[in-house]
Amino acid sequence: MKQTAKITFCGIITALSVVFMLLSYFPYLTYAVPAVTGLLMMIIVIEINTRWAFAAYAAASVLVFIFAEPESKLMYICLFGYYPILKALIERLHKPAAEWLLKLVYFVFAKLFGISLDDFNTFGRYGVYAFLAAGNAVFVLYDIAVSRMAMFYMNTLHMRIARIFKGK
């Protein structure tokens, strides 16, 4: 793929990311939009490579920081925006136990999202642990969803995109 095609492709994905993140202003989409928008970076990882995906993520993050809803932009910038890229790098280890350990340790970002763990004392002594367990369970489901979406993309759209860039 030529350099100009890579820049154009990353620019399109970046623009789509920002447009999707604007949907976070709608009620009830605050948490879903960053997770779905992060999947767009997976397309760059598949079509080009992780370096270009990180560059597109950085550009999208700057624009999202300016335009998106505050809580959603925090979730996108701190977690969901680059997780599909990081997932691709982690899975290059080809050691499932180490991969899952890294992924689950990666989730423990509760303080980054401004969640005070002291607030869980109202749920009893084990409220914090229940929250972290539930968060890890949801994160595992998200990880599986990212893998399935990558397979869906490879089976349905990858060849079409490759033909466009080859000019056939």
Side-chain angles (χ1 to χ4, degrees), residues 17-163:
S17 296
V18 174
V19 169
F20 281 8
M21 286 300 293
L22 291 177
L23 293 173
S24 66
Y25 281 107
F26 288 105
Y28 307 111
L29 294 179
T30 302
Y31 302 110
V33 168
V36 172
T37 304
L39 295 175
L40 293 173
M41 294 301 144
M42 171 191 66
I43 297 171
I44 299 174
V45 170
I46 293 170
E47 296 297 337
I48 305 173
N49 63 30
T50 54
R51 280 191 9 232
W52 282 87
F54 273 120
Y57 160 73
S61 292
V62 168
L63 293 171
V64 163
F65 184 76
I66 295 169
F67 296 113
E69 190 265 334
E71 197 170 353
S72 292
K73 71 180 164 188
L74 183 66
M75 292 178 67
Y76 178 80
I77 292 169
C78 292
L79 179 66
F80 292 116
Y82 66 90
Y83 180 72
I85 306 166
L86 188 63
K87 175 180 170 52
L89 293 173
I90 290 172
E91 289 183 350
R92 288 183 186 167
L93 296 175
H94 299 292
K95 295 180 180 171
E99 291 172 16
W100 280 105
L101 181 66
L102 282 172
K103 290 174 187 177
L104 292 176
V105 167
Y106 175 75
F107 174 73
V108 186
F109 274 108
K111 293 219 180 219
L112 284 179
F113 289 112
I115 298 170
S116 172
L117 296 180
D118 296 332
D119 293 342
F120 291 97
N121 288 339
T122 58
F123 296 112
R125 184 198 296 179
Y126 301 106
V128 173
Y129 303 113
F131 170 74
L132 290 174
N136 274 324
V138 169
F139 194 68
V140 166
L141 291 175
Y142 180 71
D143 185 76
I144 292 168
V146 170
S147 296
R148 297 239 171 118
M149 289 305 295
M151 291 305 298
F152 175 77
Y153 176 81
M154 290 297 293
N155 292 333
T156 58
L157 296 174
H158 175 65
M159 291 307 294
R160 293 178 186 163
I161 300 292
R163 270 191 242 125

